[in-house]
Amino acid sequence: MSDYIKALRRLIGTTKIIVPGVRALVFDEAGRLLLARQRLFGSWALPHGCIDLGESASAALAREMTEETGLRAIRAEPFGLYSDPKYSVTYPNGDEVQTLTMAFVVREWEGTLQPDGDEVVELGFFPLEQLPSPLYPIHVETIDDYRRSDGGFIVK
């Protein structure tokens, strides 16, 4: 959790807030999707995280990818914007957030897969037809949108 969010939480407690974030659809040369098993929820998710105060969406994407996966994005293309209130999450500590998330497709990257061991406990590339379970609920629609995509930008 960013220092900014921690400071807000000290002031407002668990009240629902809108949190800007990023998520990455990272593909390997075989077209398999990278997923990260989250320690907090136990589910598989796209690499993702919050945009820190003073940070751009592209910088947050680069930072979150490196922190969570050990990979460095070389080229990322905006894919969609997810802001519907249904993309809300309640964390085990009671903190509530509604996410406003920019999704990116990353096909060019470098590095070696390395889970951070804190937020992410396992990483793997999976064929789109054989994704592990359970999937993080608010990422399922992004993955489905990619499967159905005609190349246009998604706004939800």
Side-chain angles (χ1 to χ4, degrees):
M1 180 183 314
S2 75
D3 290 338
Y4 174 66
I5 300 292
K6 287 177 188 174
L8 280 178
R9 288 294 178 202
R10 282 193 296 273
L11 296 172
I12 65 168
T14 61
T15 301
K16 186 181 268 189
I17 57 174
I18 295 175
V19 175
V22 293
R23 68 182 63 137
L25 294 135
V26 181
F27 293 92
D28 68 5
E29 62 282 344
R32 299 175 302 171
L33 179 64
L34 176 63
L35 293 174
R37 192 164 59 80
Q38 304 175 94
R39 179 180 305 281
L40 190 59
F41 294 109
S43 55
W44 290 88
L46 299 168
H48 68 283
C50 297
I51 299 172
D52 287 340
L53 193 62
E55 185 176 50
S56 69
S58 60
L61 176 76
R63 177 183 50 76
E64 288 290 349
M65 269 191 62
T66 300
E67 286 176 5
E68 293 185 0
T69 72
L71 303 180
R72 186 178 76 79
I74 295 172
R75 186 173 54 92
E77 303 159 359
F79 171 72
L81 181 64
Y82 294 84
S83 62
D84 192 292
K86 71 181 178 182
Y87 306 118
S88 294
V89 176
T90 300
Y91 290 93
N93 68 357
D95 288 354
E96 295 182 59
V97 301
Q98 177 182 325
T99 64
L100 186 146
T101 302
M102 174 72 82
F104 292 86
V105 174
V106 179
R107 288 192 178 88
E108 268 187 79
W109 48 268
E110 64 184 10
T112 303
L113 282 181
Q114 180 65 47
D116 69 3
D118 180 29
E119 294 178 46
V120 174
V121 296
E122 187 177 356
L123 293 163
F125 282 98
F126 300 91
L128 284 170
E129 310 78 37
Q130 297 174 339
L131 299 179
S133 184
L135 288 172
Y136 191 40
I138 66 171
H139 291 183
V140 170
E141 193 168 350
T142 303
I143 295 166
D144 288 345
D145 286 344
Y146 179 81
R147 286 181 175 134
R148 294 187 299 265
S149 174
D150 62 1
F153 190 77
I154 306 291
V155 178
K156 293 189 171 185

